[in-house]
Amino acid sequence: MIEDLGQRLNRPRFPRSAGYDPHWMIENWMGPNALWLLEWLCAELDLRPGARVLDLGCGRAATSIFLAREFGVRVVAADHWVKAAENWERIEAAGQAGQIMPVQAEAHDLPFAEGYFDAVVSVDAYHYFGTDDLYLPYLSRFLAPGGQIGIAVPGLTAELDDVPAHLAPHWEPDFWAFHSPAWWQRLWTRSGAVTDVRADLLEDGWRDWLVWSEATLELTVNDFARQVLPREIAMVRADQGRHLGFTRVTARRS
Ligand SMILES: C[S@@+](CC[C@H](N)C(=O)[O-])C[C@H]1O[C@@H](n2cnc3c(N)ncnc32)[C@H](O)[C@@H]1O
């Protein structure tokens, strides 16, 4: 029921996200609830008012709006697929024109000054471009020394050699970009580009993934969402958290 949506999506562990209209979130759907993941990620970051933050792979900029509102930071909202002009409309409508600058940019060709950002944040996007050994050394150049980087991405409890039978009917080759906290910890630590690397899995994250995806499927008018969500829901439901969840990784520029 639409009236119950706020209650259905109420997550006491994400109190800041509860202040955002769930219909607005569904309108701007691009994957598992971006604000919940961001709120979880920010618990491990120290974001001070006025800090310069790059929201990399920001999609429709809901996460950038959250960062500006909740922490008073200045955000560059960068995305490859979504045009800056589209995000600008949303940013202005949210009253954040003074705090957020939208940019259309590809993650390997960033048009920023080295050392410019105090933090780089990325929600449900980094696995599309950041799983190779060379990427973090490239990206970390845009951070000031000691600057923070944090990502939250779909992930695995542990690395898989093969697709488990219960996931096989739903598996897509792209899902090989999902990794465990231990995998990310190793990738980032041995890069030498960052220090103080921490990686963990969101406890019972699969339940949030399921509840959010089911609510979105019921209410969305987005054709792409209607196409992909039934399979995603079936997969997460079949798995029950045995393998799938969300990985958070944070570090500081060395
Ligand atoms: C699943 S969406 C998530 C968007 C948003 N962070 C959210 O959670 O709602 C993934 C985003 O990653 C962005 N992305 C994928 N590959 C990228 C690349 N190479 N450079 C920059 N952004 C990229 C896409 O443009 C897309 O908006």
Side-chain angles (χ1 to χ4, degrees), residues 199-221:
D200 62 352
L201 200 77
L202 178 62
E203 194 182 340
D204 274 343
W206 70 275
R207 291 185 195 275
D208 295 334
W209 191 344
L210 191 57
V211 163
W212 166 250
S213 301
E214 285 173 344
T216 304
L217 181 60
E218 266 175 56
L219 297 172
T220 187
V221 291

Side-chain angles (χ1 to χ4, degrees), residues 25 28-35 37 55-64 78-82 87 104-110 121-130 135 152 154 224:
M25 282 305 299
N28 294 312
W29 171 93
M30 287 192 79
N33 191 307
L35 296 194
L37 293 178
D55 183 1
L56 186 54
C58 68
R60 297 196 171 103
T63 47
S64 310
D79 198 76
H80 188 33
W81 304 339
V82 182
N87 277 340
Q104 189 164 14
E106 202 286 314
H108 296 85
D109 190 17
L110 296 174
V121 165
S122 184
V123 172
D124 190 20
Y126 195 89
H127 55 302
Y128 290 108
F129 48 76
Y135 190 69
F224 181 65

